[in-house]
């Protein structure tokens, strides 16, 4: 069995608990949080609980540590786990600075442990199908792509925890809400060369931006648009990813990007198109993304292989967010090479 520990017992930790319980060959051994009250449900189930991560690492037979704390705390905790010889699963974003992301990656590589970043949307049935279409060359040359997140996070959401909406711990709408969609954009379209962005804090009483719009050029020459907002009234409207090429069009959307809204390829018959849409419509969620991440990490540890979503993948998404934020702050285009 691969033994897991969770550090940070807030809301997102529940998904990790469910995923560990569902994974074949995995078991939750310990939890850690500075607030003892958050660990009471685990104590009742006989799971070891700690308020100090160092003590947990020293006194348990943990193989993998899942970092589920606010984003600004990811780096020191992930590095501490790696230095103790533990494999690491870190929630998105991998960190809030490239320096911290690089330090996590280097600590894991230096200690010979695996590192996975939680970008679970890659495992959605429609995204796996979309990746197969990209790998088959079905789009031909890409012309452009759009990534859109139009969600609602009201003031009550931000007031629930003091770290939410801050630059130091949250990072803003691109970093906290839209980064999964940006990971998908990069996974499917390849690297970005340059961005030009605007962002504002329009409607929420927070430090970070609540709306952001960017245009970008991929290294392939294709263009792109990113729109992200948590200001939608009165609830989440959509998460959409659209890819356009010389021989293919795909639009995936809904309140979360799980459903096909447009699907046309020169190498597919109408019947094949309808069969794809039917298959996705009847199983839009598939295996929950966190379950897929934990099962993959469990298998990666057993097989001594790299996880499906690596630290470098997490760094790429972070790099794009930071480029957009710097462009908005500086009022000019930003080359991603300048960040590397």
């Amino acid at each position: 069995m691969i033994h897991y520990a969770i550090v940070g017992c807030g809301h997102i930790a529940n998904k990790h608990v469910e995923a560990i319980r569902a994974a074949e060959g995995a078991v939750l051994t310990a939890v850690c949080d500075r607030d003892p009250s958050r660990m009471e449900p685990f104590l009742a189930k006989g799971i070891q609980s700690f308020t100090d991560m160092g003590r947990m690492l020293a006194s348990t037979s943990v193989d993998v540590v899942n970092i589920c704390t606010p984003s600004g705390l990811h780096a020191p905790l992930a590095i501490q786990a790696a230095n103790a010889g533990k494999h690491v699963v870190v929630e998105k974003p991998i960190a809030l600075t490239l320096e911290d992301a690089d330090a996590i990656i280097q600590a894991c590589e230096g200690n010979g442990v695996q590192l996975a970043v939680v970008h679970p949307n890659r495992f959605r049935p429609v995204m796996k199908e979309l990746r197969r279409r990209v790998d088959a060359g079905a789009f031909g040359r890409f012309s452009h792509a759009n990534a859109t997140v139009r969600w609602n996070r009201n003031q009550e959401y931000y007031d629930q925890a003091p770290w939410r909406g801050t630059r130091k711990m949250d990072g803003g709408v691109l970093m906290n809400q839209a980064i999964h969609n940006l990971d998908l954009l990069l996974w499917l379209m390849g690297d970005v060369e340059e961005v030009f962005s605007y962002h504002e804090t329009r409607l929420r009483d927070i430090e970070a931006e609540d709306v952001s719009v960017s245009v970008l050029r991929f290294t392939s020459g294709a263009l792109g648009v990113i729109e992200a907002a948590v200001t939608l009234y009165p609830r989440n409207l959509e998460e959409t990813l659209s890819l356009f090429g010389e021989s293919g069009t795909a639009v995936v959307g809904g309140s979360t990007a799980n459903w096909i809204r447009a699907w046309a390829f020169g190498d597919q018959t109408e019947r094949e198109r309808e069969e794809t849409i039917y298959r996705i419509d009847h199983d839009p969620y598939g295996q929950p993304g966190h379950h897929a991440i934990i099962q993959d990490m469990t298998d990666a540890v057993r097989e001594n292989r790299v996880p499906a979503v690596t630290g470098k993948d997490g760094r790429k998404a972070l790099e794009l967010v930071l480029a957009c934020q710097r462009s908005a702050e500086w009022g000019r285009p930003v080359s991603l090479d300048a960040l590397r």
Side-chain angles (χ1 to χ4, degrees):
M1 297 293 285
I2 303 301
H3 295 258
Y4 282 81
I6 294 173
V7 178
C9 295
H11 171 73
I12 200 65
N14 294 323
K15 290 191 174 183
H16 287 253
V17 172
E18 294 171 2
I20 293 166
R21 288 174 176 167
E24 182 180 347
V27 61
L28 179 60
T29 298
V31 294
C32 180
D33 197 290
R34 289 182 297 184
D35 182 352
S37 67
R38 291 185 174 184
M39 297 185 289
E40 289 176 1
F42 301 99
L43 279 169
K45 295 176 182 177
I47 297 169
Q48 297 181 75
S49 302
F50 299 85
T51 55
D52 180 81
M53 183 172 166
R55 286 187 57 204
M56 180 190 76
L57 294 173
S59 58
T60 60
S61 57
V62 168
D63 301 301
V64 184
V65 176
N66 292 18
I67 308 298
C68 299
T69 61
S71 303
L73 299 175
H74 287 177
L77 298 173
I79 292 167
Q80 184 180 358
N83 287 342
K86 312 302 181 184
H87 305 284
V88 178
V89 175
V90 60
E91 262 294 339
K92 60 79 183 169
I94 183 173
L96 294 184
T97 69
L98 292 179
E99 293 78 10
D100 278 351
D102 289 338
I104 294 171
I105 293 168
Q106 290 165 11
C108 290
E109 290 178 348
N111 287 286
V113 298
Q114 302 296 351
L115 169 62
V117 181
V118 181
H119 284 297
N121 295 1
R122 294 186 184 194
F123 297 94
R124 291 173 177 174
V126 71
M127 293 305 168
K128 292 193 287 186
E129 185 65 33
L130 199 50
R131 180 58 190 254
R132 284 192 286 268
R133 293 276 73 203
V134 171
D135 289 344
F139 284 91
R141 286 191 306 161
F142 282 111
S143 62
H144 66 294
N146 288 5
T148 304
V149 176
R150 294 169 174 163
W151 283 354
N152 172 277
R153 295 293 184 271
N154 58 24
Q155 192 61 45
E156 182 182 1
Y157 164 85
Y158 288 104
D159 292 343
Q160 284 175 354
W163 65 270
R164 288 182 176 173
T166 65
R167 294 198 181 281
K168 187 175 180 180
M169 290 292 170
D170 177 304
V173 62
L174 287 176
M175 194 76 79
N176 199 15
Q177 280 78 33
I179 197 166
H180 286 314
N181 209 333
L182 302 192
D183 171 68
L184 293 173
L185 185 68
L186 293 167
W187 186 53
L188 295 165
M189 291 289 294
D191 292 345
V192 170
E193 179 179 284
E194 185 178 81
V195 302
F196 185 85
S197 305
Y198 291 98
H199 69 214
E200 296 289 346
T201 307
R202 292 288 297 167
L203 303 182
R204 305 296 176 241
D205 183 19
I206 59 176
E207 181 183 20
E209 70 275 4
D210 59 14
V211 60
S212 177
V213 179
S214 304
V215 293
L216 51 153
R217 183 185 299 276
F218 293 91
T219 55
S220 67
L223 303 180
V225 176
I226 298 169
E227 177 193 338
V230 288
T231 56
L232 271 289
Y233 177 84
R235 61 185 65 88
N236 289 359
L237 178 62
E238 65 172 311
E239 177 192 9
T240 304
L241 189 66
S242 307
L243 308 184
F244 305 101
E246 61 184 339
S247 55
T249 289
V251 178
V252 177
S255 58
T256 55
N258 287 81
W259 291 271
I260 292 173
R261 297 303 185 226
W263 195 267
F265 294 95
D267 67 346
Q268 280 191 336
T269 65
E270 178 63 19
R271 180 175 179 178
E272 288 172 330
R273 186 188 77 87
E274 291 176 352
E275 287 175 349
T276 300
I277 294 172
Y278 177 86
R279 186 171 68 253
I280 297 301
D281 280 351
H282 283 73
D283 184 22
Y285 298 105
Q287 181 186 26
H290 279 76
H291 291 202
I293 290 282
I294 298 303
Q295 185 65 66
D296 176 73
M297 183 55 148
T298 302
D299 296 340
V301 171
R302 285 172 159 178
E303 299 163 11
N304 192 29
R305 63 164 173 82
V306 174
V309 187
T310 67
K312 292 179 180 178
D313 291 329
R315 188 191 191 280
K316 282 189 175 184
L318 171 64
E319 182 182 59
L320 178 54
V321 171
L322 292 174
C324 292
Q325 291 179 337
R326 290 184 186 183
S327 174
E329 291 164 6
W330 296 346
R332 59 175 174 81
V334 168
S335 166
L336 271 77
D337 280 342
L339 302 181
R340 295 180 179 131

